[in-house]
Amino acid sequence: MGKFYCKSIKRGGILKNIIKKCKGCGIELQSDDKNKQGYIPTTSLKGNKSPICQRCFKLTNYGDYIPMEMTKEDYRREVQRTAKSAQVALAVFDIIDFEGSFEKEILDILREMRSIIIINKVDLIPGGKHASEVATW
C-alpha cells in the first residue's frame, strides 16, 4: 500500500502526485506499518476527504496521547525543509528550559531568514524578576 496520493497536478509540464497528509498533524499518511508515524488503515480512507492518522484519531476520540518519535536529526531536517518555503519563521523557546529548547543548527537556519522569536512560560518566572532581567539573561 505505502503512501497515499490525493491527486496528480501538472506543474511546468511535469505530472506530480500530491501525498496525502494527516489533517491533524500534517504527517504523510502510510498504511504499511501501524507502529510508524502517519499510519492509517486503508479502510479509513474510503470516502474520507480529511483523513487523520491513527495518533491524531486516538488523541481526538479517546484523549490517548501517543508521543511523536523524532530524533534531533529528524527535527533539524524538518525545520530546514519547512524554512525553504516559509517567508517568516516563528521560533518558540521555553524560558524554563531555554538551553534545551533549541539547537545551534536551528538558530543558524533562523539567522538566514526573517524570524520572530517567541518566549513562552514567562509567567512561571518567580515574581521578583523583571522582564528586563530575563531579557539580559
Side-chain angles (χ1 to χ4, degrees):
M1 291 291 163
K3 294 181 181 179
F4 297 101
Y5 300 93
C6 57
K7 61 184 171 182
S8 296
I9 60 169
K10 200 168 189 176
R11 284 197 181 145
I14 299 171
L15 196 62
K16 289 187 174 185
N17 287 322
I18 305 299
I19 297 171
K20 275 196 176 186
K21 294 190 176 187
C22 173
K23 177 186 170 192
C25 66
I27 198 160
E28 292 180 4
L29 297 172
Q30 56 87 17
S31 65
D32 291 334
D33 187 346
K34 66 180 178 180
N35 296 314
K36 288 187 178 177
Q37 295 176 21
Y39 177 75
I40 184 171
T42 53
T43 55
S44 297
L45 280 174
K46 293 179 182 173
N48 190 346
K49 293 183 179 182
S50 300
I52 59 173
C53 68
Q54 186 174 15
R55 177 179 173 268
C56 289
F57 179 84
K58 287 183 176 183
L59 181 62
T60 303
N61 293 290
Y62 303 110
D64 186 11
Y65 175 70
I66 302 168
M68 190 174 252
E69 300 290 326
M70 184 176 270
T71 65
K72 286 184 180 183
E73 180 60 28
D74 290 337
Y75 180 68
R76 185 190 58 75
R77 196 174 319 118
E78 184 64 22
V79 169
Q80 280 182 318
R81 185 186 67 76
T82 306
K84 288 178 184 175
S85 62
Q87 293 180 6
V88 176
L90 299 176
V92 181
F93 297 116
D94 183 345
I95 192 68
I96 303 302
D97 182 25
F98 195 73
E99 290 82 11
S101 62
F102 66 91
E103 297 288 324
K104 182 186 178 313
E105 293 85 7
I106 302 301
L107 290 177
D108 290 342
I109 294 168
L110 294 174
R111 281 188 191 106
E112 296 175 9
M113 60 186 304
R114 289 181 41 206
S115 55
I116 298 171
I117 307 298
I118 301 166
I119 308 295
N120 68 351
K121 299 185 184 175
V122 175
D123 57 318
L124 299 178
I125 295 174
K129 300 293 178 189
H130 189 271
S132 62
E133 291 178 90
V134 175
T136 302
W137 175 72

